[in-house]
Amino acid sequence: MSGHNKWSSIKHKKGKNDAQRGKIFTKIIREIQSSVRSGNSGDPESNARLRLAIAKAKDANMPADNIKKAIQKALGADGGVILEEVNYEGYGPGGVAIMVDCLTDNKNRTLPVIRNIIGKGGGNLGSLGSVSYLFKQNGQFIFAPGTDENKVMEIAIDAGAEDVNTNDDGSIEVYCEPNQFEGLREAFEKAAVKFENAEVTMTPATYVSLDPENSEKLQKMIDSLEEEDDVQNVYTNVESNDQ
């Protein structure tokens, strides 16, 4: 994990989020509803996945009323649309590993869309497990340049973080085990140390570099994937900061 700067990636994503807030809200609502149904509970106190989805909604400045309505709809007697979790793995331009998490009501519709986007971008889908072994699930916090490094370090260590990395531009990354994520988040919030991004994500064990041409192709592929309503997350092991 050390040495890979995520700050520029966060800035890129935040810029897209500002321009596509409606689409971002739609994806988060789907995640909330899926969390309620998979956990058979609309109570975040007893549904850890729902707690994370609600935290993501709040980070995106989603109104509390929208969150409440999403939970209520998921708990409705008619059940609403049933969303299924599906994951796709493969390779992008330059041999970059790609993982795509989806929530869909029709796998037969989603699969060819994902295959087509990856294929047009110079990659190809692989079989289940073809690249997932290259990634590890963990909690991740990103702090903007200028954040008090000593304070972040102190809180992170006390709350059980695995790794703290300060980049050349002054941004800071903190990683933890998934089951430590909520405690670490609460610790930072209690200390009023503002993070720019906090999520449970998939982090590569090693990274690969791309030349400018393949880096541009990959970014276009990622943007196209994230445009799809069924796509929740896209992970790669590219070293490029333009991701």
Side-chain angles (χ1 to χ4, degrees):
M1 289 181 285
S2 179
H4 181 67
N5 189 339
K6 291 284 187 180
W7 172 238
S8 60
S9 302
I10 298 304
K11 289 191 293 182
H12 177 81
K13 288 182 178 180
K14 280 185 176 291
K16 290 199 300 180
N17 288 1
D18 290 340
Q20 303 175 0
R21 191 157 300 278
K23 185 176 286 290
I24 297 299
F25 280 9
T26 297
K27 291 177 183 287
I28 294 174
I29 286 171
R30 289 162 70 93
E31 173 62 24
I32 290 172
Q33 293 174 339
S34 179
S35 300
V36 170
R37 290 175 180 139
S38 66
N40 293 315
S41 172
D43 179 7
E45 291 299 318
S46 61
N47 188 333
R49 181 177 165 187
L50 177 59
R51 286 199 302 274
L52 293 177
I54 291 174
K56 184 183 292 185
K58 290 180 177 178
D59 287 345
N61 296 317
M62 179 181 287
D65 191 50
N66 292 38
I67 298 173
K68 182 179 179 181
K69 287 179 179 178
I71 294 174
Q72 290 176 335
K73 185 173 181 180
L75 292 171
D78 60 359
V81 175
I82 302 300
L83 298 173
E84 183 177 359
E85 296 179 42
V86 289
N87 309 101
Y88 302 104
E89 304 177 30
Y91 295 92
V96 168
I98 296 176
M99 293 180 62
V100 185
D101 293 343
C102 297
L103 282 173
T104 179
D105 59 353
N106 186 344
K107 290 192 297 183
N108 293 329
R109 178 195 67 233
T110 303
L111 174 57
V113 170
I114 302 302
R115 179 187 289 124
N116 183 56
I117 292 174
I118 292 178
K120 281 187 175 180
N124 60 277
L125 279 183
S127 58
L128 188 64
S130 59
V131 302
S132 58
Y133 71 94
L134 297 171
F135 295 80
K136 175 187 176 183
Q137 186 181 50
N138 53 30
Q140 178 192 78
F141 296 82
I142 308 296
F143 298 85
T147 307
D148 188 330
E149 179 182 358
N150 290 331
K151 196 168 185 179
V152 170
M153 181 79 73
E154 180 183 356
I155 294 169
I157 292 174
D158 288 346
E162 275 192 318
D163 188 27
V164 180
N165 179 47
T166 301
N167 299 300
D168 292 339
D169 63 2
S171 62
I172 306 169
E173 302 166 24
V174 177
Y175 295 90
C176 64
E177 291 290 339
N179 61 5
Q180 298 289 333
F181 178 79
E182 291 182 73
L184 202 57
R185 183 186 182 106
E186 289 175 4
F188 285 128
E189 290 177 342
K190 184 177 181 180
V193 178
K194 183 179 181 294
F195 44 79
E196 293 299 319
N197 192 69
E199 61 182 337
V200 175
T201 185
M202 300 296 290
T203 303
T206 58
Y207 293 87
V208 298
S209 298
L210 290 180
D211 58 46
E213 180 180 354
N214 280 324
S215 182
E216 183 177 354
K217 287 181 180 178
L218 178 65
Q219 188 57 61
K220 287 181 179 179
M221 178 192 295
I222 292 172
D223 288 344
S224 295
L225 286 167
E226 292 181 339
E227 276 288 313
E228 292 297 319
D229 288 341
D230 290 347
V231 174
Q232 294 296 109
N233 300 293
V234 180
Y235 308 107
T236 78
N237 67 339
V238 67
E239 182 65 56
S240 171
N241 287 333
D242 297 328
Q243 188 184 149

